[in-house]
Coordinates of all heavy atoms in Angstrom, one line a residue:
M135 N 32.1 -150.6 36.6 CA 31.2 -151.6 36.0 C 31.9 -153.0 36.0 O 33.0 -153.1 35.8 CB 30.9 -151.1 34.5 CG 29.7 -151.9 33.9 SD 29.4 -151.4 32.3 CE 29.9 -149.7 32.2
D136 N 31.1 -154.0 36.3 CA 31.7 -155.3 36.4 C 31.9 -155.9 35.0 O 31.3 -155.5 34.0 CB 30.8 -156.2 37.3 CG 29.4 -156.4 36.6 OD1 29.3 -157.4 35.9 OD2 28.5 -155.6 36.9
S137 N 32.8 -156.9 35.0 CA 33.2 -157.5 33.7 C 32.0 -158.2 33.0 O 32.0 -158.2 31.8 CB 34.4 -158.4 33.9 OG 34.0 -159.5 34.7
G138 N 31.1 -158.7 33.8 CA 29.9 -159.3 33.2 C 29.1 -158.3 32.4 O 28.7 -158.6 31.3
M139 N 28.9 -157.2 32.9 CA 28.1 -156.1 32.2 C 28.9 -155.6 31.0 O 28.3 -155.4 29.9 CB 27.8 -155.0 33.2 CG 26.9 -153.9 32.5 SD 25.4 -154.5 31.9 CE 24.4 -154.6 33.4
I140 N 30.2 -155.5 31.1 CA 31.0 -155.0 30.0 C 30.8 -156.0 28.8 O 30.7 -155.6 27.7 CB 32.5 -154.8 30.4 CG1 32.6 -153.6 31.3 CG2 33.3 -154.6 29.2 CD1 33.9 -153.5 32.0
G141 N 30.9 -157.3 29.1 CA 30.7 -158.3 28.1 C 29.3 -158.2 27.4 O 29.2 -158.4 26.2
K142 N 28.3 -158.0 28.2 CA 26.9 -157.9 27.7 C 26.8 -156.6 26.8 O 26.2 -156.7 25.7 CB 25.9 -157.8 28.8 CG 25.8 -159.0 29.7 CD 25.4 -160.2 28.8 CE 25.2 -161.5 29.7 NZ 25.0 -162.7 28.9
I143 N 27.4 -155.5 27.2 CA 27.4 -154.3 26.3 C 28.1 -154.5 25.0 O 27.6 -154.2 24.0 CB 28.0 -153.1 27.1 CG1 27.0 -152.8 28.3 CG2 28.1 -151.9 26.2 CD1 27.6 -151.8 29.3
D144 N 29.2 -155.2 25.1 CA 30.0 -155.5 23.8 C 29.1 -156.4 22.9 O 29.1 -156.2 21.7 CB 31.3 -156.2 24.2 CG 32.4 -155.3 24.7 OD1 32.2 -154.1 24.5 OD2 33.4 -155.8 25.2
K145 N 28.5 -157.4 23.5 CA 27.6 -158.3 22.7 C 26.4 -157.5 22.1 O 26.1 -157.7 20.9 CB 27.1 -159.4 23.5 CG 26.4 -160.5 22.8 CD 25.9 -161.7 23.6 CE 27.0 -162.7 23.7 NZ 26.6 -163.9 24.4
A146 N 25.9 -156.6 22.9 CA 24.7 -155.8 22.4 C 25.2 -154.9 21.2 O 24.4 -154.8 20.2 CB 24.2 -154.9 23.5
K147 N 26.4 -154.3 21.3 CA 26.9 -153.5 20.2 C 27.0 -154.4 18.9 O 26.7 -153.9 17.8 CB 28.2 -152.9 20.5 CG 28.1 -151.8 21.6 CD 29.5 -151.3 21.9 CE 29.4 -150.2 23.0 NZ 30.8 -149.8 23.5
R148 N 27.5 -155.6 19.1 CA 27.7 -156.5 17.9 C 26.4 -156.9 17.4 O 26.1 -156.8 16.1 CB 28.5 -157.7 18.4 CG 28.9 -158.6 17.3 CD 30.0 -159.5 17.7 NE 29.8 -160.2 18.9 CZ 29.1 -161.4 19.1 NH1 28.6 -161.9 18.0 NH2 29.0 -161.9 20.2
Y149 N 25.4 -157.2 18.2 CA 24.1 -157.6 17.7 C 23.4 -156.4 17.0 O 22.8 -156.6 16.0 CB 23.2 -158.0 18.9 CG 23.5 -159.4 19.5 CD1 22.9 -159.7 20.7 CD2 24.2 -160.3 18.8 CE1 23.2 -161.0 21.3 CE2 24.5 -161.5 19.4 CZ 24.0 -161.9 20.6 OH 24.2 -163.1 21.2
A150 N 23.6 -155.2 17.5 CA 22.9 -154.1 16.9 C 23.5 -153.7 15.5 O 22.8 -153.1 14.7 CB 23.1 -152.9 17.8
E151 N 24.7 -154.2 15.3 CA 25.3 -154.0 13.9 C 24.9 -155.1 13.0 O 25.2 -155.0 11.8 CB 26.8 -153.9 14.1 CG 27.2 -152.6 14.8 CD 28.7 -152.6 15.1 OE1 29.4 -153.6 14.9 OE2 29.2 -151.6 15.6
Q152 N 24.4 -156.2 13.4 CA 24.1 -157.4 12.6 C 22.6 -157.5 12.5 O 22.0 -158.3 13.2 CB 24.8 -158.6 13.2 CG 26.3 -158.5 13.2 CD 27.0 -159.6 14.0 OE1 26.3 -160.3 14.8 NE2 28.3 -159.6 13.9
L153 N 22.0 -156.7 11.6 CA 20.6 -156.6 11.6 C 19.9 -157.8 11.2 O 18.7 -158.0 11.5 CB 20.2 -155.4 10.7 CG 20.6 -154.0 11.1 CD1 20.1 -153.0 10.2 CD2 20.2 -153.7 12.5
D154 N 20.6 -158.7 10.5 CA 19.9 -160.0 10.1 C 19.7 -160.9 11.3 O 19.0 -161.9 11.1 CB 20.7 -160.7 9.0 CG 22.1 -161.0 9.4 OD1 22.6 -160.4 10.4 OD2 22.7 -161.9 8.8
R155 N 20.2 -160.5 12.4 CA 19.8 -161.3 13.6 C 18.4 -161.0 14.2 O 17.9 -161.7 15.0 CB 20.8 -161.0 14.8 CG 22.2 -161.5 14.5 CD 23.1 -161.2 15.7 NE 24.4 -161.7 15.6 CZ 24.8 -162.9 16.0 NH1 23.9 -163.7 16.6 NH2 26.1 -163.3 15.9
I156 N 17.9 -159.8 13.7 CA 16.7 -159.3 14.3 C 15.6 -159.5 13.3 O 15.7 -159.1 12.1 CB 16.8 -157.8 14.6 CG1 17.9 -157.6 15.7 CG2 15.5 -157.2 15.1 CD1 18.4 -156.2 15.8
S157 N 14.4 -160.0 13.7 CA 13.3 -160.1 12.8 C 12.0 -159.7 13.5 O 11.8 -160.2 14.6 CB 13.1 -161.5 12.2 OG 12.9 -162.4 13.2
F158 N 11.3 -158.8 12.9 CA 10.0 -158.3 13.5 C 8.9 -159.3 13.2 O 8.7 -159.6 12.0 CB 9.7 -156.9 13.0 CG 10.5 -155.8 13.6 CD1 11.8 -155.6 13.1 CD2 10.0 -155.0 14.6 CE1 12.6 -154.5 13.6 CE2 10.8 -154.0 15.1 CZ 12.1 -153.8 14.7
D159 N 8.2 -159.7 14.2 CA 7.1 -160.7 14.0 C 5.8 -159.9 13.9 O 4.9 -160.2 13.1 CB 7.0 -161.7 15.2 CG 8.3 -162.5 15.2 OD1 8.8 -162.9 14.2 OD2 8.8 -162.7 16.3
Q160 N 5.6 -158.9 14.8 CA 4.4 -158.1 14.8 C 4.7 -156.8 15.5 O 5.5 -156.7 16.4 CB 3.2 -158.8 15.4 CG 3.4 -159.2 16.8 CD 2.2 -159.9 17.3 OE1 1.3 -160.2 16.6 NE2 2.1 -160.1 18.6
F161 N 4.1 -155.7 15.0 CA 4.2 -154.4 15.6 C 3.1 -153.5 15.1 O 2.4 -153.8 14.1 CB 5.6 -153.8 15.3 CG 5.9 -153.7 13.9 CD1 5.5 -152.6 13.1 CD2 6.7 -154.6 13.3 CE1 5.8 -152.5 11.8 CE2 7.1 -154.5 11.9 CZ 6.6 -153.4 11.2
E162 N 2.9 -152.4 15.7 CA 2.0 -151.3 15.3 C 2.7 -150.0 15.5 O 3.4 -149.8 16.5 CB 0.8 -151.3 16.2 CG -0.2 -150.2 15.8 CD -1.5 -150.3 16.7 OE1 -2.1 -151.4 16.7 OE2 -1.8 -149.3 17.4
V163 N 2.7 -149.2 14.4 CA 3.4 -147.9 14.5 C 2.4 -146.8 14.0 O 1.5 -147.1 13.2 CB 4.6 -147.9 13.6 CG1 5.6 -148.9 14.1 CG2 4.3 -148.0 12.2
T164 N 2.6 -145.6 14.5 CA 1.9 -144.4 14.0 C 2.8 -143.7 13.1 O 4.0 -143.4 13.5 CB 1.5 -143.6 15.1 OG1 0.6 -144.3 16.0 CG2 0.7 -142.3 14.7
L165 N 2.4 -143.4 11.8 CA 3.2 -142.7 10.9 C 2.5 -141.4 10.5 O 1.4 -141.4 10.2 CB 3.4 -143.6 9.6 CG 4.5 -143.1 8.6 CD1 5.1 -144.2 7.9 CD2 3.9 -142.0 7.7
T166 N 3.2 -140.3 10.7 CA 2.7 -139.0 10.4 C 2.9 -138.7 9.0 O 4.1 -138.4 8.6 CB 3.4 -137.9 11.3 OG1 3.2 -138.3 12.7 CG2 2.7 -136.5 11.1
G167 N 1.9 -138.8 8.2 CA 2.0 -138.5 6.8 C 1.9 -137.0 6.5 O 1.7 -136.2 7.4
D168 N 2.0 -136.6 5.2 CA 1.9 -135.2 4.8 C 0.5 -134.7 5.1 O 0.3 -133.5 5.5 CB 2.2 -135.0 3.3 CG 3.6 -135.2 3.0 OD1 4.4 -135.1 4.0 OD2 4.0 -135.4 1.8
N169 N -0.6 -135.5 5.0 CA -1.9 -135.1 5.1 C -2.6 -135.5 6.4 O -3.4 -134.8 6.9 CB -2.8 -135.5 3.9 CG -2.2 -135.0 2.6 OD1 -1.9 -133.9 2.4 ND2 -1.9 -135.9 1.7
S170 N -2.3 -136.7 6.9 CA -2.9 -137.1 8.1 C -2.0 -138.2 8.7 O -1.0 -138.6 8.2 CB -4.3 -137.6 7.9 OG -4.3 -138.6 6.9
T171 N -2.4 -138.7 9.9 CA -1.6 -139.7 10.7 C -2.2 -141.0 10.4 O -3.5 -141.2 10.4 CB -1.6 -139.3 12.1 OG1 -1.0 -138.1 12.3 CG2 -0.9 -140.4 13.0
H172 N -1.4 -142.0 10.2 CA -1.9 -143.4 9.9 C -1.3 -144.4 10.9 O -0.2 -144.3 11.3 CB -1.5 -143.8 8.5 CG -2.2 -142.9 7.5 ND1 -3.5 -143.0 7.1 CD2 -1.7 -141.9 6.7 CE1 -3.8 -142.1 6.3 NE2 -2.7 -141.4 6.0
V173 N -2.1 -145.4 11.1 CA -1.7 -146.5 11.9 C -1.4 -147.7 11.0 O -2.2 -148.1 10.2 CB -2.8 -147.0 13.0 CG1 -2.3 -148.2 13.7 CG2 -3.0 -145.8 13.9
V174 N -0.1 -148.2 11.1 CA 0.3 -149.3 10.2 C 0.6 -150.4 11.2 O 1.3 -150.3 12.2 CB 1.6 -148.9 9.4 CG1 2.1 -150.0 8.6 CG2 1.4 -147.6 8.6
T175 N 0.1 -151.6 10.8 CA 0.4 -152.8 11.6 C 1.1 -153.9 10.7 O 0.9 -153.9 9.5 CB -0.9 -153.4 12.2 OG1 -1.8 -153.7 11.2 CG2 -1.5 -152.4 13.2
F176 N 1.8 -154.7 11.4 CA 2.5 -155.9 10.7 C 2.3 -157.1 11.6 O 2.6 -157.0 12.8 CB 4.0 -155.6 10.5 CG 4.7 -156.6 9.7 CD1 4.7 -156.6 8.4 CD2 5.4 -157.6 10.4 CE1 5.3 -157.6 7.6 CE2 6.1 -158.6 9.7 CZ 6.1 -158.6 8.3
S177 N 1.7 -158.2 11.0 CA 1.5 -159.4 11.8 C 1.4 -160.6 10.9 O 0.8 -160.5 9.8 CB 0.2 -159.2 12.6 OG -0.1 -160.4 13.4
D178 N 2.1 -161.6 11.3 CA 2.1 -162.9 10.4 C 2.5 -162.6 9.0 O 2.0 -163.2 8.1 CB 0.7 -163.5 10.4 CG 0.3 -164.0 11.8 OD1 1.2 -164.4 12.6 OD2 -0.9 -164.0 12.2
G179 N 3.5 -161.7 8.8 CA 4.0 -161.4 7.5 C 3.1 -160.5 6.7 O 3.3 -160.3 5.5
R180 N 2.0 -160.0 7.2 CA 1.1 -159.2 6.5 C 1.0 -157.8 7.0 O 1.0 -157.5 8.2 CB -0.3 -159.8 6.5 CG -0.3 -161.3 6.0 CD -1.7 -161.8 6.2 NE -2.6 -161.3 5.2 CZ -2.8 -162.0 4.0 NH1 -2.2 -163.1 3.7 NH2 -3.7 -161.4 3.1
W181 N 1.0 -156.8 6.0 CA 0.8 -155.4 6.4 C -0.6 -155.0 6.5 O -1.5 -155.6 5.8 CB 1.5 -154.5 5.3 CG 3.0 -154.6 5.3 CD1 3.7 -155.3 4.4 CD2 3.9 -153.9 6.1 NE1 5.1 -155.1 4.7 CE2 5.2 -154.2 5.7 CE3 3.7 -153.0 7.2 CZ2 6.3 -153.7 6.4 CZ3 4.8 -152.5 7.8 CH2 6.1 -152.9 7.4
S182 N -0.9 -154.0 7.2 CA -2.2 -153.3 7.2 C -2.0 -151.8 7.5 O -1.1 -151.5 8.3 CB -3.1 -154.0 8.2 OG -4.4 -153.4 8.2
C183 N -2.8 -151.0 6.8 CA -2.7 -149.6 7.1 C -4.2 -149.1 7.0 O -5.0 -149.6 6.2 CB -1.8 -148.9 6.0 SG -1.7 -147.1 6.3
D184 N -4.4 -148.0 7.7 CA -5.8 -147.5 7.8 C -6.1 -146.5 6.6 O -7.1 -145.9 6.6 CB -6.1 -146.9 9.1 CG -5.3 -145.7 9.5 OD1 -4.4 -145.3 8.7 OD2 -5.4 -145.2 10.6
C185 N -5.1 -146.3 5.7 CA -5.4 -145.3 4.7 C -6.2 -145.9 3.5 O -6.3 -147.1 3.4 CB -4.0 -144.7 4.2 SG -3.1 -145.8 3.1
G186 N -6.8 -145.0 2.8 CA -7.6 -145.5 1.7 C -6.9 -146.2 0.5 O -7.4 -147.1 -0.1
F187 N -5.7 -145.7 0.3 CA -4.9 -146.3 -0.8 C -4.6 -147.8 -0.5 O -4.7 -148.6 -1.3 CB -3.6 -145.5 -1.0 CG -2.9 -145.9 -2.3 CD1 -3.1 -145.1 -3.5 CD2 -2.0 -146.9 -2.3 CE1 -2.5 -145.5 -4.7 CE2 -1.3 -147.2 -3.5 CZ -1.6 -146.5 -4.7
F188 N -4.2 -148.0 0.8 CA -3.9 -149.4 1.2 C -5.2 -150.3 1.0 O -5.1 -151.4 0.5 CB -3.4 -149.5 2.6 CG -3.0 -150.9 3.0 CD1 -1.7 -151.3 2.8 CD2 -3.9 -151.8 3.5 CE1 -1.3 -152.6 3.1 CE2 -3.5 -153.1 3.8 CZ -2.2 -153.5 3.6
A189 N -6.3 -149.7 1.4 CA -7.6 -150.5 1.2 C -7.8 -150.9 -0.2 O -8.3 -152.0 -0.4 CB -8.8 -149.7 1.8
R190 N -7.4 -150.1 -1.2 CA -7.7 -150.4 -2.6 C -6.5 -151.3 -3.2 O -6.8 -152.1 -4.0 CB -7.8 -149.1 -3.4 CG -9.0 -148.4 -3.1 CD -9.2 -147.2 -4.1 NE -8.1 -146.2 -4.0 CZ -8.0 -145.2 -3.2 NH1 -8.9 -145.1 -2.2 NH2 -7.0 -144.4 -3.2
R191 N -5.3 -151.1 -2.7 CA -4.1 -151.7 -3.4 C -3.4 -152.7 -2.6 O -2.5 -153.4 -3.1 CB -3.2 -150.5 -3.9 CG -3.9 -149.5 -4.7 CD -4.2 -150.0 -6.1 NE -3.1 -150.2 -6.9 CZ -2.5 -149.2 -7.7 NH1 -3.1 -148.0 -7.8 NH2 -1.5 -149.4 -8.4
G192 N -3.6 -152.7 -1.3 CA -2.8 -153.6 -0.4 C -1.4 -153.2 -0.2 O -0.6 -154.0 0.4
V193 N -1.1 -152.0 -0.6 CA 0.3 -151.5 -0.3 C 0.1 -150.0 -0.4 O -0.8 -149.5 -1.0 CB 1.3 -152.0 -1.3 CG1 1.0 -151.5 -2.7 CG2 2.7 -151.7 -0.9
C194 N 1.0 -149.2 0.3 CA 0.8 -147.8 0.3 C 2.2 -147.2 0.7 O 3.1 -147.9 1.0 CB -0.3 -147.3 1.3 SG 0.1 -147.7 3.0
S195 N 2.3 -145.9 0.6 CA 3.5 -145.2 0.9 C 3.9 -145.4 2.3 O 5.1 -145.5 2.6 CB 3.4 -143.7 0.6 OG 2.4 -143.1 1.4
H196 N 3.0 -145.7 3.2 CA 3.3 -145.8 4.6 C 3.9 -147.2 4.9 O 4.9 -147.3 5.6 CB 2.0 -145.7 5.5 CG 1.2 -144.5 5.0 ND1 0.0 -144.6 4.5 CD2 1.6 -143.2 5.0 CE1 -0.5 -143.3 4.2 NE2 0.5 -142.5 4.5
T197 N 3.4 -148.3 4.3 CA 4.0 -149.6 4.4 C 5.3 -149.7 3.7 O 6.3 -150.3 4.2 CB 3.0 -150.7 3.9 OG1 2.8 -150.5 2.5 CG2 1.7 -150.7 4.7
M198 N 5.4 -149.0 2.6 CA 6.7 -149.0 1.8 C 7.7 -148.3 2.6 O 8.9 -148.7 2.5 CB 6.5 -148.5 0.4 CG 5.7 -149.4 -0.5 SD 5.7 -148.9 -2.2 CE 4.5 -147.6 -2.2
A199 N 7.4 -147.2 3.3 CA 8.4 -146.5 4.0 C 8.9 -147.3 5.2 O 10.1 -147.4 5.4 CB 7.7 -145.2 4.6
L200 N 8.0 -148.1 5.8 CA 8.5 -148.9 6.9 C 9.3 -150.1 6.4 O 10.3 -150.5 7.0 CB 7.3 -149.4 7.7 CG 6.7 -148.3 8.6 CD1 5.3 -148.7 9.1 CD2 7.6 -147.9 9.7
E201 N 9.0 -150.6 5.2 CA 9.8 -151.6 4.6 C 11.3 -151.1 4.4 O 12.2 -151.8 4.6 CB 9.2 -152.1 3.3 CG 8.0 -153.0 3.5 CD 7.4 -153.5 2.1 OE1 7.5 -152.7 1.2 OE2 6.9 -154.6 2.1
R202 N 11.3 -149.9 4.0 CA 12.7 -149.3 3.7 C 13.4 -149.1 5.0 O 14.6 -149.3 5.1 CB 12.5 -147.9 3.0 CG 12.2 -148.0 1.6 CD 11.9 -146.7 1.0 NE 11.5 -146.8 -0.4 CZ 12.4 -146.6 -1.4 NH1 13.7 -146.3 -1.1 NH2 12.1 -146.7 -2.6
V203 N 12.7 -148.7 6.1 CA 13.4 -148.5 7.4 C 13.8 -149.8 8.0 O 15.0 -149.9 8.5 CB 12.4 -147.8 8.4 CG1 13.0 -147.8 9.8 CG2 12.1 -146.4 7.9
L204 N 13.0 -150.8 7.9 CA 13.3 -152.1 8.6 C 14.1 -153.1 7.8 O 14.8 -153.9 8.4 CB 12.0 -152.7 9.1 CG 11.2 -151.9 10.0 CD1 9.8 -152.5 10.3 CD2 11.9 -151.6 11.3
G205 N 14.0 -153.0 6.5 CA 14.9 -153.8 5.6 C 14.9 -155.2 5.9 O 13.9 -155.9 6.0
V206 N 16.2 -155.7 6.2 CA 16.4 -157.2 6.4 C 15.7 -157.7 7.7 O 15.7 -158.9 7.9 CB 17.9 -157.5 6.4 CG1 18.5 -157.1 5.1 CG2 18.6 -156.8 7.6
M207 N 15.3 -156.8 8.5 CA 14.6 -157.2 9.8 C 13.2 -157.7 9.6 O 12.6 -158.3 10.5 CB 14.7 -156.1 10.8 CG 16.1 -155.8 11.2 SD 16.2 -154.5 12.5 CE 15.8 -153.0 11.5
L208 N 12.7 -157.5 8.4 CA 11.3 -158.0 8.0 C 11.5 -159.4 7.4 O 12.4 -159.6 6.6 CB 10.6 -157.1 7.1 CG 10.2 -155.7 7.6 CD1 9.7 -154.9 6.5 CD2 9.1 -155.9 8.7
P209 N 10.6 -160.3 7.7 CA 10.6 -161.6 7.0 C 10.2 -161.3 5.5 O 9.6 -160.3 5.2 CB 9.5 -162.4 7.7 CG 8.7 -161.4 8.4 CD 9.5 -160.2 8.7
A210 N 10.7 -162.2 4.6 CA 10.4 -162.1 3.2 C 8.9 -162.2 3.0 O 8.2 -163.1 3.5 CB 11.1 -163.1 2.4
T211 N 8.3 -161.2 2.3 CA 6.9 -161.2 2.1 C 6.6 -161.1 0.6 O 7.4 -160.5 -0.2 CB 6.2 -160.0 2.7 OG1 6.8 -158.8 2.3 CG2 6.2 -160.1 4.3
P212 N 5.6 -161.8 0.1 CA 5.3 -161.7 -1.3 C 5.1 -160.3 -1.8 O 4.4 -159.5 -1.1 CB 4.0 -162.5 -1.5 CG 3.7 -163.1 -0.1 CD 4.6 -162.5 0.9
Q213 N 5.6 -159.9 -2.9 CA 5.4 -158.6 -3.5 C 4.2 -158.6 -4.4 O 3.9 -159.6 -4.9 CB 6.7 -158.2 -4.3 CG 7.9 -158.1 -3.4 CD 7.8 -157.1 -2.3 OE1 7.5 -155.9 -2.6 NE2 8.1 -157.5 -1.1
P214 N 3.6 -157.4 -4.5 CA 2.4 -157.3 -5.4 C 2.9 -157.6 -6.8 O 4.0 -157.3 -7.2 CB 1.9 -155.9 -5.2 CG 2.8 -155.2 -4.3 CD 3.8 -156.2 -3.8
E215 N 1.9 -158.1 -7.6 CA 2.3 -158.3 -9.0 C 2.6 -157.0 -9.7 O 2.0 -156.0 -9.4 CB 1.0 -158.9 -9.7 CG 0.7 -160.3 -9.3 CD 1.8 -161.3 -9.7 OE1 2.4 -161.2 -10.8 OE2 2.1 -162.2 -8.8
P216 N 3.6 -156.9 -10.6 CA 3.9 -155.7 -11.2 C 2.8 -155.0 -11.9 O 2.6 -153.8 -11.9 CB 5.0 -156.1 -12.2 CG 5.6 -157.4 -11.7 CD 4.5 -158.0 -11.0
S217 N 1.8 -155.8 -12.5 CA 0.7 -155.2 -13.2 C -0.3 -154.5 -12.2 O -1.1 -153.7 -12.7 CB 0.0 -156.3 -13.9 OG -0.5 -157.3 -13.0
A218 N -0.2 -154.9 -10.9 CA -1.1 -154.3 -10.0 C -0.5 -153.0 -9.3 O -1.2 -152.4 -8.6 CB -1.5 -155.3 -8.9
V219 N 0.7 -152.7 -9.6 CA 1.4 -151.5 -9.0 C 1.0 -150.3 -9.8 O 1.0 -150.3 -11.0 CB 2.9 -151.8 -8.9 CG1 3.6 -150.5 -8.4 CG2 3.2 -152.9 -8.0
Ligands
LIG536 ZN1 -1.1 -146.3 4.2

């Protein structure tokens, strides 16, 4: 392997350990829930999920699960009011 590629791999390892370098702008994922499969999307800092709970509350176990997985890689988003949770 050439030295140029070795340098790139070293940099990739460092980037992969520094999650605050990465921010998701938009994506769509399929999440297999206990009862059915849901499509969750994230765009312009806003979540969307096709489940009924999200339609009523604007947050659900599926979006919260992805927030836990992605952590600092998500831009800061406003949290729901505590009274609405
Ligand atoms: Zn959901």
Side-chain angles (χ1 to χ4, degrees):
M135 197 179 327
D136 65 89
S137 62
M139 182 57 82
I140 291 169
K142 294 299 183 192
I143 292 170
D144 284 345
K145 187 177 274 188
K147 288 177 181 172
R148 186 161 51 84
Y149 285 166
E151 291 170 352
Q152 299 169 348
L153 296 184
D154 58 340
R155 290 180 177 273
I156 301 168
S157 62
F158 284 81
D159 300 317
Q160 58 181 9
F161 56 83
E162 177 178 305
V163 301
T164 300
L165 192 151
T166 305
D168 287 343
N169 301 308
S170 56
T171 298
H172 296 285
V173 176
V174 181
T175 60
F176 183 83
S177 182
D178 294 329
R180 303 177 75 93
W181 289 101
S182 183
C183 181
D184 64 1
C185 75
F187 194 92
F188 186 90
R190 292 188 300 276
R191 306 288 289 269
V193 66
C194 62
S195 58
H196 315 115
T197 61
M198 288 189 283
L200 288 165
E201 283 179 329
R202 286 172 178 266
V203 170
L204 299 173
V206 299
M207 293 182 284
L208 290 172
T211 53
Q213 297 298 309
E215 293 295 319
S217 60
V219 174

